[in-house]
Amino acid sequence: PGSPAGHSGIQAHDIITSFGGRPVSSTGALVSALVGLDPGARVPITYLHAGRSVSTTVQLANEPGDS
């Protein structure tokens, strides 16, 4: 709920299909898409929720424990 994904409406069991304009086919692909992006960056994403495609923008944050 307090995460950037949660603020953007993404819920447990939703499937991210695109991140920053790049297709996401695995967790590794999502991690690769995150590399080099700074906290505070706004990134367009597309995800599947209850069988329908939803597009939104997320604002990245530091990983918990990072300063």
Side-chain angles (χ1 to χ4, degrees):
S3 71
H7 289 295
S8 296
I10 299 172
Q11 300 176 19
H13 305 291
D14 289 348
I15 301 169
I16 297 172
T17 58
S18 174
F19 183 89
R22 296 170 57 180
V24 172
S25 58
S26 67
T27 302
L30 179 58
V31 171
S32 293
L34 283 163
V35 171
L37 296 177
D38 294 322
R42 295 181 60 78
V43 183
I45 65 166
T46 303
Y47 61 97
L48 292 176
H49 174 77
R52 74 177 225 271
S53 183
V54 179
S55 294
T56 191
T57 301
V58 296
Q59 184 169 8
L60 303 181
N62 284 323
E63 192 170 343
D66 284 356
S67 5

